[in-house]
Amino acid sequence: MTMFAETNSLSRPKFSNLLHSDPNLSSPPDEDQNFSGRHSSASASPSPGCYSGDSSPYNMPPWNQTSPYSKSPWSRASPAPWADDSYPHTGLICSLIREEGHIYSLAASSDLLYTGSDSKNIRVWKNQKEYSGFKSSSGLVKAIVISGDRIFTGHQDGKIRIWKISPKNPILYKKAGTLPRVKDLLKSSMNPNNYVKVRHHRNSIWIRHFDAISCLSLDADYGFLYSGSWDKTLKVWRVSDNRCMESISAHDDAVNSVVAGFDGLVLTGSADGSVKVWRREVLRKTTKHTMVQTLLKQDCAVTVLAKNPEGTVVYCGSSDGLVNFWERGKQLCHGGVLRGHKLAVLCLAAIRNLLFSGSADKTICVWKRDGGTHTCLSVLTGHAGPVKCLAVEEMSESSAEDRRYVLYSGSLDKSVKVWRVAELAPEVQPGPGSDVLDGSEPSASSHSSSSYSSKRY
């Protein structure tokens, strides 16, 4: 299946299918805590999930949670036949089945995998085994960004939490702060000019998100962290001192995704259907971001943005199941549309010439870019719920002649699947003429499709 560029915009039906879980969970009153990794003896079979289609993200039923101090609810399924390093094909390595919450965020760094869920726990995995973890006192974990020995997590309660790896014991993670800092909140609260009007005629201090943080992006070269929120704003944080430099009223609806890190440009995607490009100017004591281009304006929600590591291609997933892309020359020019999903595209990950797209249709498309043309190499199946997050890294045995990658996919079926992807290997096909790779396991239970009712991701 080869993708050809389309230059004309297409009319797309409105789509409001986002499964949203905002459980009213109880949490211990004490501070955010660290807990060491534990091996699990739980069954590999996931418990059947009950997904809600309630239109309000604030009226979801409570979910029973497992204490992070009890035995881990994760388990590792038996490796697939192609888990052997000598096997060249793309396919499933193993599944991590979780019973304590939907998986909303992933981040990979070297041999470590970080997973965030609606249980408020961030767990750390090494070689597909539980290694460590830490717990937030509140807030569903919607985004994870790694910067050296620090981990930034964005939460449903509108806060960014900072964690550091202990220099004496790499298995221990300690909370290093919260954004915005308490002293900055106190200082700002003294000045009436620091208050801005928010929804329902309320006022709030401008350095604080008053709604869920939906996305984070780090510009490591310049030391800026960007946070997008359902409060329609984009905030800029200086990593060196954790100070909020700027707050931008970016969109007319929730900011669902942000991408930073090339030539001072920052891209934002929103539930209002637009993708905007902002140019950063660093002043003496602050920053100034000016909108320089609107890449896309459509009826359906923009759900996710991603760029390849070289910063030459930008991708945009939407709630209509399409992936638009722009190629970067002197400016960003529309390159075409990728059609591989039946429902909303919820997550994207790019590495070298490969793009991975995860969807509410429970599948992952693997795309290969050759010039301006994208070819769908395969479709990974096996998740019993929408694929909410992706992370990818190149494998150690990868070579210039035979690129191999490990792909992590988190789902609202409460599981993480670990895939091997071989760029040059022939496709694994379950039947003649099929381009679907079946990553399901005998123990995996199926769930009925859920109705989605929000543009907020």
Side-chain angles (χ1 to χ4, degrees):
M1 180 168 63
T2 303
M3 186 63 248
F4 298 98
E6 299 181 1
T7 55
N8 297 327
S9 60
L10 301 175
S11 60
R12 302 176 182 127
K14 286 195 175 183
F15 184 90
S16 56
N17 298 16
L18 167 67
L19 174 65
H20 192 80
S21 174
D22 182 22
N24 184 18
L25 301 175
S26 60
S27 180
D30 50 349
E31 292 298 316
D32 301 328
Q33 301 177 50
N34 175 87
F35 55 94
S36 60
R38 303 168 181 83
H39 297 293
S40 172
S41 60
S43 169
S45 299
S47 300
C50 178
Y51 302 113
S52 171
D54 194 327
S55 60
S56 171
Y58 302 100
N59 293 321
M60 306 297 290
W63 293 73
N64 294 327
Q65 297 295 319
T66 303
S67 169
Y69 309 105
S70 65
K71 206 162 191 178
S72 169
W74 288 81
S75 64
R76 189 160 76 101
S78 299
W82 46 79
D84 186 348
D85 289 346
S86 63
Y87 201 92
H89 291 161
T90 294
L92 184 71
I93 296 176
C94 68
S95 292
L96 301 172
I97 309 300
R98 186 171 195 164
E99 298 175 355
E100 68 175 7
H102 304 307
I103 310 301
Y104 279 91
S105 52
L106 291 174
S109 176
S110 187
D111 58 349
L112 297 180
L113 172 69
Y114 297 81
T115 60
S117 73
D118 54 10
S119 69
K120 309 171 189 177
N121 299 330
I122 300 96
R123 296 192 182 270
V124 188
W125 304 87
K126 188 173 183 178
N127 300 324
Q128 290 89 53
K129 295 180 180 179
E130 189 165 354
Y131 177 70
S132 182
F134 40 99
K135 177 181 172 63
S136 167
S137 60
S138 63
L140 179 154
V141 185
K142 297 186 67 67
I144 305 174
V145 167
I146 303 170
S147 176
D149 64 345
R150 291 196 291 180
I151 297 94
F152 297 89
T153 55
H155 296 257
Q156 183 94 4
D157 63 4
K159 295 179 181 178
I160 301 171
R161 291 172 172 83
I162 309 170
W163 313 84
K164 290 197 70 173
I165 303 173
S166 171
K168 296 181 180 180
N169 186 353
I171 202 172
L172 293 179
Y173 290 75
K174 300 292 185 181
K175 185 182 174 186
T178 301
L179 302 181
R181 300 177 299 182
V182 174
K183 66 178 182 180
D184 291 337
L185 286 172
L186 292 175
K187 182 178 179 181
S188 297
S189 65
M190 302 298 178
N191 186 347
N193 293 329
N194 289 327
Y195 287 83
V196 294
K197 183 177 290 188
V198 297
R199 64 183 181 190
H200 306 311
H201 306 289
R202 289 173 46 208
N203 290 332
S204 179
I205 301 172
W206 69 270
I207 64 173
R208 177 172 58 189
H209 284 297
F210 68 87
D211 209 334
I213 291 176
S214 56
C215 51
L216 296 173
S217 183
L218 179 69
D219 188 338
D221 292 338
Y222 290 89
F224 293 114
L225 177 70
Y226 292 84
S227 59
S229 169
W230 291 353
D231 65 10
K232 310 177 188 179
T233 69
L234 174 71
K235 296 193 188 298
V236 188
W237 310 86
R238 188 165 58 195
V239 174
S240 60
D241 59 3
N242 298 331
R243 181 184 167 215
C244 186
M245 305 290 289
E246 186 181 1
S247 181
I248 305 159
S249 296
H251 290 273
D252 296 328
D253 207 333
V255 179
N256 286 330
S257 190
V258 58
V259 168
F262 50 96
D263 291 350
L265 296 180
V266 180
L267 283 76
T268 55
S270 169
D272 65 12
S274 67
V275 177
K276 296 182 179 180
V277 183
W278 308 82
R279 181 172 297 280
R280 179 182 62 235
E281 181 182 359
V282 181
L283 306 177
R284 184 176 180 181
K285 293 184 178 181
T286 187
T287 60
K288 181 180 180 182
H289 288 73
T290 304
M291 192 187 74
V292 295
Q293 190 177 1
T294 299
L295 294 181
L296 185 67
K297 182 61 180 175
Q298 60 186 16
D299 291 336
C300 58
V302 172
T303 54
V304 60
L305 299 173
K307 68 178 180 67
N308 65 342
E310 297 76 22
T312 57
V313 185
V314 174
Y315 297 94
C316 162
S318 302
S319 61
D320 58 3
L322 302 182
V323 177
N324 282 269
F325 68 95
W326 292 264
E327 296 168 327
R328 185 164 157 254
K330 292 183 179 180
Q331 59 181 0
L332 288 167
C333 298
H334 191 253
V337 180
L338 310 183
R339 302 173 182 274
H341 295 286
K342 298 178 181 178
L343 297 177
V345 176
L346 301 181
C347 49
L348 296 169
I351 187 168
R352 293 190 182 271
N353 291 325
L354 294 188
L355 171 72
F356 304 89
S357 57
S359 170
D361 64 14
K362 309 175 188 177
T363 69
I364 303 165
C365 287
V366 183
W367 306 87
K368 183 177 181 180
R369 178 174 59 88
D370 184 6
T373 301
H374 288 71
T375 302
C376 185
L377 297 181
S378 53
V379 180
L380 310 181
T381 68
H383 276 296
V387 181
K388 190 66 177 68
C389 46
L390 295 170
V392 61
E393 288 206 312
E394 191 162 353
M395 302 182 78
S396 58
E397 65 266 26
S398 178
S399 64
E401 296 76 23
D402 184 14
R403 301 283 185 192
R404 298 186 186 185
Y405 306 92
V406 57
L407 174 70
Y408 304 96
S409 59
S411 170
L412 300 186
D413 65 7
K414 306 180 182 180
S415 77
V416 174
K417 289 187 182 293
V418 185
W419 310 84
R420 173 194 304 279
V421 178
E423 184 174 331
L424 301 179
E427 300 175 19
V428 179
Q429 298 181 347
S434 173
D435 61 354
V436 176
L437 299 185
D438 192 353
S440 61
E441 297 170 284
S443 61
S445 60
S446 62
H447 299 273
S448 59
S449 298
S450 305
S451 62
Y452 300 90
S453 53
S454 173
K455 288 186 175 183
R456 294 180 170 189
Y457 294 77

